[in-house]
Amino acid sequence: MQRWKQYGGLAGLFAAFLAAGYWGFTTTGGALPWAKRSAKALQRGVQDGGGSLIDFGRGIVVAGPIRKGGMMPEFGVLVLVLVVLGIGLYVYVDRYGGFEDGERPAR
């Protein structure tokens, strides 16, 4: 494929998504509803108190819907799976030198 077709297609796709985003932004009222909601949340937070952002005495900080919805076991399993996957990938890459069939780099 020629380079001008690739860049032209990319520019056309970008313009289409930009137009769709602008249309969605204007039809939903723009940022005004979010700005009002955000201002109310900030004002409520200032009125309720000015505690620290992270308080380790209260335990692990987890989003309210997860904690209040009783989804802590599922959240814990997800975190554990991601940690095991990360450690497994680290060990695999360290032991076998990566994912490609090439020579292992000198250390």
Side-chain angles (χ1 to χ4, degrees):
M1 183 179 252
Q2 295 175 350
R3 185 177 293 180
W4 68 271
K5 287 183 181 179
Q6 289 177 339
Y7 288 130
L10 185 62
L13 194 61
F14 179 74
F17 282 118
L18 189 66
Y22 181 73
W23 174 79
F25 184 77
T26 55
T27 56
T28 58
L32 189 59
W34 292 103
K36 287 180 182 177
R37 206 175 293 159
S38 159
K40 286 181 184 178
L42 285 173
Q43 289 171 355
R44 193 176 330 124
V46 169
Q47 292 170 354
D48 289 345
S52 63
L53 289 176
I54 299 175
D55 185 6
F56 291 109
R58 292 174 35 197
I60 298 175
V61 178
V62 180
I66 293 173
R67 189 177 60 246
K68 293 177 185 172
M71 297 188 312
M72 284 301 290
E74 292 90 349
F75 181 73
V77 167
L78 179 65
V79 169
L80 184 66
V81 165
L82 291 175
V83 166
V84 168
L85 183 67
I87 292 171
L89 286 173
Y90 177 79
V91 168
Y92 176 79
V93 169
D94 187 51
R95 181 172 292 167
Y96 299 110
F99 294 104
E100 297 178 9
D101 294 334
E103 289 187 28
R104 195 166 184 187
R107 290 185 181 201

